[in-house]
Amino acid sequence: MSQISRRQFLQGGTLFAGTLALTACGGGASEDTSAQGADETVADQSATTDGAAGYTTVEAGKLTCISNLFFPPFESMNEQTGDPEGFDIDVSKSLAEHMGLEVNWLPSQDFDTLVPTIKNGGKADVAIAGMTITDKRKEEVDMSDPYVDSNQSIVIKSGTDETAETLDDAEKVIAVQSGTTGQEWAQENLPQATIKPLSTVIEAMSGVQTGLYNAVVCDLPVSKYQIKTSYTDLEVIEEIPTGEQYGIAVSKDNPGLLEAINSALAAMESDGSMAAIEAEWFGSAL
Ligand code: GLN
């Protein structure tokens, strides 16, 4: 079952092959908002947990968010304050603002626990986590409209001369973040190698740096950012055009919240909020 979904998902992705590593979805395109009734719906969200807003939140007046906060530049913790920061954090703030809510971030948790937490309900309203929209996840939770496009990458230590071919070997260890599309890609495309699921991409990259692992497979925008800012002795040897799109996970029991999130995302595209966040974290609108 999951193999079929994955293949369908990856095949679907080839539509996006060759596009930029990270591009905003529907940015500036007016057709995105046409079917949404965005302005009207967003204005309605000033009420919070009662029926007037059409959805409930775990804490009144707040959009409570969860993520794995070791995925820069989408989410990380400020070194001084320990507060969450990043592209997704700014998206959450803007979403909350558009919905007339305050934003509330819970402590970091493992990526592979995010979908179950949202599915179980009661703890958080949304997972905003650079999370790829997949058929498998959509069986468990609802996913919002896409807000970022992304691809996979293979990262090695510069000078080790590994290639996708040499890595597909029983002697080689490929680090991935547990429960991610990078893990799925590695398992499917490097079947001879040992795949090592870890809690964070940071742990995976550090392990490649120290020679513990031969490579990391993870989202391209993250590997590019990390190599530029911290892991300058690593390099991307292959960009894999999986054509993934990030969405926000919402409980299937809260369809009104999904609708409100989609309306707010559409409003953020049309009023320039999303472009401003892209400029802040990636230098320019994507
Ligand atoms: N986009 C990837 C996925 O959804 C990785 C996300 C992450 O590690 N935060 O699986």
Side-chain angles (χ1 to χ4, degrees), residues 67-68 70-71 74-75 111 114 129-134 137 150 152 177-183 201 218-219 222 244-246:
S67 196
N68 175 262
F70 298 91
F71 201 60
F74 292 99
E75 37 267 334
F111 184 81
L114 296 173
M131 186 183 286
T132 302
I133 301 167
T134 67
R137 290 178 184 150
S150 181
Q152 289 299 314
Q177 187 180 15
S178 181
T180 60
T181 48
Q183 178 175 5
V201 167
C218 70
D219 291 15
V222 173
E244 293 170 53
Q245 295 189 298
Y246 295 167

Side-chain angles (χ1 to χ4, degrees), residues 38-281:
D39 295 345
E40 203 183 306
T41 317
V42 169
D44 283 344
Q45 303 308 328
S46 51
T48 54
T49 58
D50 61 25
Y55 58 81
T56 57
T57 53
V58 292
E59 249 197 85
K62 292 187 180 172
L63 183 68
T64 301
C65 308
I66 48 169
S67 196
N68 175 262
L69 296 174
F70 298 91
F71 201 60
F74 292 99
E75 37 267 334
S76 59
M77 279 186 257
N78 181 283
E79 277 175 26
Q80 267 90 49
T81 64
D83 290 333
E85 64 180 10
F87 184 98
D88 281 342
I89 290 27
D90 287 352
V91 167
S92 73
K93 287 178 185 161
S94 183
L95 275 177
E97 212 173 288
H98 281 80
M99 296 164 73
L101 301 174
E102 270 175 48
V103 73
N104 177 31
W105 275 90
L106 298 183
S108 181
Q109 56 185 80
D110 281 350
F111 184 81
D112 57 13
T113 66
L114 296 173
V115 166
T117 301
I118 293 298
K119 183 180 177 173
N120 292 341
K123 182 176 171 187
D125 301 306
V126 288
I128 310 185
M131 186 183 286
T132 302
I133 301 167
T134 67
D135 288 344
K136 206 160 75 182
R137 290 178 184 150
K138 276 162 57 180
E139 285 172 16
E140 310 294 320
V141 291
D142 281 336
M143 297 292 294
S144 74
D145 291 335
Y147 66 99
V148 164
D149 287 354
S150 181
N151 284 314
Q152 289 299 314
S153 61
I154 303 177
V155 178
I156 62 163
K157 187 164 183 175
S158 299
T160 55
D161 289 337
E162 297 286 2
T163 65
E165 289 70 38
T166 63
L167 287 169
D168 191 18
D169 182 303
E171 303 283 294
K172 302 293 165 69
V173 184
I174 314 295
V176 295
Q177 187 180 15
S178 181
T180 60
T181 48
Q183 178 175 5
E184 287 191 10
W185 188 91
Q187 278 165 349
E188 192 160 289
N189 294 281
L190 303 171
Q192 310 301 320
T194 301
I195 309 299
K196 176 82 182 163
L198 300 167
S199 282
T200 70
V201 167
I202 311 283
E203 212 180 321
M205 291 203 174
S206 301
V208 171
Q209 196 167 46
T210 58
L212 205 53
Y213 315 120
N214 301 98
V216 184
V217 177
C218 70
D219 291 15
L220 181 61
V222 173
S223 57
K224 276 190 169 166
Y225 184 88
Q226 286 289 82
I227 289 170
K228 205 165 146 195
T229 57
S230 313
Y231 294 87
T232 50
D233 54 346
L234 304 188
E235 65 175 313
V236 172
I237 48 153
E238 199 162 314
E239 300 189 3
I240 307 155
T242 49
E244 293 170 53
Q245 295 189 298
Y246 295 167
I248 296 164
V250 183
S251 164
K252 282 184 187 289
D253 296 333
N254 209 350
L257 180 60
L258 179 72
E259 206 179 298
I261 298 264
N262 282 338
S263 296
L265 282 174
M268 285 165 63
E269 290 290 355
S270 53
D271 69 12
S273 314
M274 190 63 95
I277 298 170
E278 287 158 5
E280 168 78 19
W281 291 98

Side-chain angles (χ1 to χ4, degrees), residues 27-42:
S30 54
E31 78 249 21
D32 273 353
T33 51
S34 58
Q36 305 273 354
D39 295 345
E40 203 183 306
T41 317
V42 169

